[in-house]
Each structure stands twice: as C-alpha cells, then as structure tokens.
Amino acid sequence: MKGVLRLLDRECRRLQNKEHAKKMAKYFKYVHPFYGIKTASLRQMIRQVQSKYQKDWNASSLLDTAEQLLAESHGEKKLLGVYLLGVNSNLKILQNDPSVIDRLGGFIETYVQDWATCDGLSTQVVRKLIEKNPAHATSVQTWCACSNDWKQRASCVSFVCLARHGAY
C-alpha cells in the first residue's frame, strides 16, 4: 500500500513541529527522532487512511503496511503502524489470520525499542486480538520466555487489562 505510506509521509512532514519534536525526543531518551506531531493528529491521519483505503485491506496488506511503518525511524510512524492495526474494522480482518500473532511477535522483536510502541501494540492490538480470538492467548503467553525484553514486556502488558477483569 504505497499510497498509504506516501499519504502518511506527506502528512507527517506537513504537521511536523520542531519544538515539540525536541521535547518528545528528550522524553523518550533520544531513542527515535520525532516529527513533533501530537496523538490527536496521528489518529486523524489514520481516520483519513481508513476512509480512503479501508475497502482494500486484507490481513496481509494490513500487516505489511504496519510493518513498513514500524520499521521507520520516527516515533510517530511507529505509532501510526500501531494505530492502523488497532482500528476495530482492521482487527476484525486480522483476528482469524493464523499468522497474525507470529507476525506481531516478529515486529516486536525487530522494530520495538521503546515502551510506547511496545505498550501500544500490546494493549491496542494484541490484547484486542486475544479478546476476539482466545486461541491467540497461548502463543502470546510463550513470549514471556523470549530472550527479547520488549517481547517479554508485550506478553505481560497484553494480559494486564484482561486479568483485571478476571480473564487469564
């Protein structure tokens, strides 16, 4: 979905705020560069993408597009990948894909280097996939034995809300 990536890139450049970007980089201990775009604007960009491309999504195209966003260096692009996957209509597409949890685990191991991206994927995508398809829980539980710290964290964070409500 090169059109999606071009649209998001153009919007990120248009909305960048260098002063806010400096503050964000400092807060995140300079792990990523930032454009300085606030969350509300990122979510609006995802609504724009959904209105234009939603009819074209399938599990593979969603995961491929999210992976390309997660692979980007800027923190906002990583969050756009998370937000794209976390849209309810997109979760419905992903929930029965047999490779989704393995792909998400691979994304975490390869592209996650900060708590915001890790926790976003865990709470907005993985947790919701477990709620929609409890068969995913077993695979996510195995992540706690992984040597990757972010994947271990994702395993735990994915179950926090579920456990609070008596599940797992």
Side-chain angles (χ1 to χ4, degrees), residues 43 79 82-83 85-88 91 104 108 115-131 140 143 153-162 164:
R43 292 202 181 274
L79 288 176
V82 170
Y83 296 159
L85 293 176
V87 173
N88 281 331
L91 287 166
L104 291 171
I108 293 166
W115 61 265
T117 308
C118 181
D119 292 3
L121 274 170
S122 301
T123 61
Q124 296 178 37
V125 182
V126 177
R127 173 185 62 88
K128 290 179 180 179
L129 287 170
I130 293 168
E131 286 177 329
V140 175
W143 295 355
R153 178 183 175 98
S155 176
C156 296
V157 172
S158 296
F159 288 100
V160 168
C161 188
L162 298 169
R164 187 177 328 137

Side-chain angles (χ1 to χ4, degrees), residues 60 62-68 70-71 78 81 85 99-113 117 121 143 148 150-151:
S60 179
L62 276 168
L63 290 167
D64 290 346
T65 303
E67 182 173 18
Q68 289 183 16
L70 288 163
K78 292 179 180 296
L85 293 176
S99 70
V100 69
I101 295 300
D102 288 338
R103 292 260 333 250
L104 291 171
F107 295 171
I108 293 166
E109 285 187 86
T110 307
Y111 306 116
V112 173
Q113 302 162 344
T117 308
L121 274 170
W143 295 355
N148 181 290
W150 294 112
K151 199 168 179 183

Side-chain angles (χ1 to χ4, degrees), residues 20-75:
H20 192 59
K22 287 178 189 174
K23 292 176 187 174
M24 291 172 76
K26 184 177 179 183
Y27 181 76
F28 281 95
K29 310 278 192 242
Y30 304 99
V31 173
H32 308 293
F34 287 91
Y35 290 107
I37 304 170
K38 298 196 176 191
T39 300
S41 296
L42 295 175
R43 292 202 181 274
Q44 178 59 38
M45 290 187 330
I46 292 300
R47 282 191 291 277
Q48 185 180 356
V49 163
Q50 283 296 105
S51 69
K52 191 169 183 176
Y53 294 98
Q54 182 175 10
K55 65 186 180 322
D56 301 326
W57 291 130
N58 59 47
S60 179
S61 63
L62 276 168
L63 290 167
D64 290 346
T65 303
E67 182 173 18
Q68 289 183 16
L69 289 165
L70 288 163
E72 292 279 344
S73 61
H74 284 79

